[in-house]
Amino acid sequence: MAGVGEAVDEALMAYLKDVDEYQTSMAEVVAACKAGMLELARARKSMGFKGCAVSQLQYPSRMKASRKVVVKDENEGEGILANSDNDQFCDGKRIFVEAIESIPEQTEDEDPVFVDPIKWFGVLVPSSLRVSQKGFVRAVESAAAASAAYINMKRDYARFRHLLSSKKKITE
């Protein structure tokens, strides 16, 4: 009986820790998105009339994401990202944000080259546009951490409920 009670307490503590991690990660996502949007507004203001080029209607058709969220087994994938500080581990999976190294251009005779999307708005872009880009990258990384914390939270809650029902059966 004491062993089951301790297991319930441990499961509850693990669940509450995961809830805290999830809420912290979601707060980071919100803060990064707010900062990114504010800097984007500053960039539009500083670009003046030319600032209309930051509109969604002005995006090039070849625009691709510069980051992607990757989920792999823990033992897969060696390299630089294998021990990154931003990696999240969840149910034997490693969740991380990876920079896309090359974006294929429309030309067939050249090798694909990474084109920083910020260059689509000119050579001399405002620094607030660069800060905005960094804020949105941080938001994506925080979202990956939040998703891993959410999965862990759901798993630990199910374990807590199972142990609690077992404890109730024993006490009856």
Side-chain angles (χ1 to χ4, degrees), residues 3-16:
V4 174
E6 289 175 10
V8 169
D9 291 344
E10 288 174 8
L12 179 61
M13 292 302 291
Y15 170 69
L16 292 175

Side-chain angles (χ1 to χ4, degrees), residues 58-105:
Q58 301 296 326
Y59 292 160
S61 61
R62 68 184 189 277
M63 180 179 262
K64 302 284 184 198
S66 61
R67 303 282 188 280
K68 66 179 178 178
V69 176
V70 179
V71 179
K72 290 186 176 181
D73 287 330
E74 280 187 53
N75 53 6
E76 278 185 43
E78 291 77 27
I80 297 171
L81 292 176
N83 295 322
S84 176
D85 293 337
N86 294 331
D87 287 3
Q88 302 294 321
F89 294 94
C90 162
D91 290 340
K93 303 281 186 192
R94 181 170 59 103
I95 301 172
F96 61 95
V97 177
E98 180 178 70
I100 298 175
E101 295 176 7
S102 63
I103 297 175
E105 294 291 325

Side-chain angles (χ1 to χ4, degrees), residues 98-116:
E98 180 178 70
I100 298 175
E101 295 176 7
S102 63
I103 297 175
E105 294 291 325
Q106 298 297 329
T107 60
E108 296 174 1
D109 56 340
E110 296 179 10
D111 291 333
V113 186
F114 178 76
V115 177
D116 188 8

